[in-house]
Amino acid sequence: MPRPLPTTRNRMQPALRFTPYAWAKWEFLRDRGPSEIGGFGISHPEQLLLVEDFVLLPQQATSVTVAFDDNAVAEFFDQQVDQGRRPEQFARIWLHTHPGRSATPSGTDEETFARVFGNCAWAVMAILARGGETYARFRCQSAIAVEAVLPVQVEFGAGFPGSDAAAWAAEYEACVTVQDEVADP
């Protein structure tokens, strides 16, 4: 006899979860400079909403924008595939920061999420503000489009290889170029 489907009351709400390592690295890099930063979450192979690492890519950043170097994105994708990862593990969770207190997505964030991730089967946009506020939204494209705001959690039960502030600082210095903002004429 088939089992009944779970009801809403006993179904656990999905969440965007982070290992302590990934969370500590994202926070450290958020606070390293005055601008936004962006990168990709590397997911557990069988738990795609569990982020195990945060990877920065070379980028031009201001207090309100991040622009990845296109060649660096292509190289990153090639490296991840060479390491045996599927795109679902490295190219579906866009993580970025806001230098202010609010994690609410800006118009630019919304446009970028739609333009870059709009054709993906699923994707997540997550924001960590300097004040500690978080925002994460899951979008699934199929016969119907589904979106849901997700809680953000740190998975303290996951293994934690330890922080590496020196390596993270070197990654920041190698990848982030902060630009002065240009005022609109």
Side-chain angles (χ1 to χ4, degrees):
M1 168 178 249
R3 288 201 255 172
L5 293 173
T7 64
T8 303
R9 285 180 300 205
N10 66 13
R11 189 181 311 176
M12 293 185 62
Q13 178 180 10
L16 180 61
R17 298 171 308 144
F18 290 81
T19 63
Y21 176 86
W23 184 259
K25 184 177 179 184
W26 196 21
E27 279 190 328
F28 177 88
L29 293 168
R30 172 201 63 193
D31 297 341
R32 186 75 181 160
S35 67
E36 285 194 6
I37 59 159
F40 290 94
I42 305 297
S43 296
H44 183 280
E46 292 155 15
Q47 299 178 47
L48 297 175
L49 291 179
L50 175 59
V51 177
E52 296 183 317
D53 198 2
F54 171 59
V55 178
L56 282 176
L57 300 178
Q59 59 197 266
Q60 300 291 317
T62 71
S63 63
V64 294
T65 62
V66 171
F68 293 132
D69 176 271
D70 290 340
N71 290 331
V73 173
E75 287 176 23
F76 169 71
F77 278 42
D78 286 345
Q79 291 168 352
Q80 295 302 306
V81 169
D82 289 347
Q83 291 178 27
R85 291 193 176 111
R86 303 180 322 269
E88 296 84 18
Q89 291 177 259
F90 66 83
R92 296 289 190 271
I93 300 177
W94 171 41
L95 303 174
H96 70 284
T97 65
H98 284 177
R101 299 188 62 76
S102 174
T104 301
S106 68
T108 301
D109 294 337
E110 296 292 358
E111 184 276 326
T112 300
F113 192 45
R115 178 177 46 82
V116 176
F117 297 93
N119 291 325
C120 294
W122 67 272
V124 174
M125 169 177 56
I127 303 166
L128 175 61
R130 189 169 307 261
E133 186 176 293
T134 60
Y135 177 89
R137 188 168 76 236
F138 174 85
R139 175 182 293 158
C140 178
Q141 302 285 100
S142 61
I144 58 171
V146 176
E147 289 195 20
V149 174
L150 301 175
V152 175
Q153 303 170 347
V154 179
E155 192 72 22
F156 286 105
F160 187 19
S163 64
D164 191 347
W168 298 345
E171 183 176 351
Y172 179 92
E173 298 303 325
C175 291
V176 178
T177 303
V178 178
Q179 297 182 321
D180 292 332
E181 293 181 52
V182 178
D184 290 331

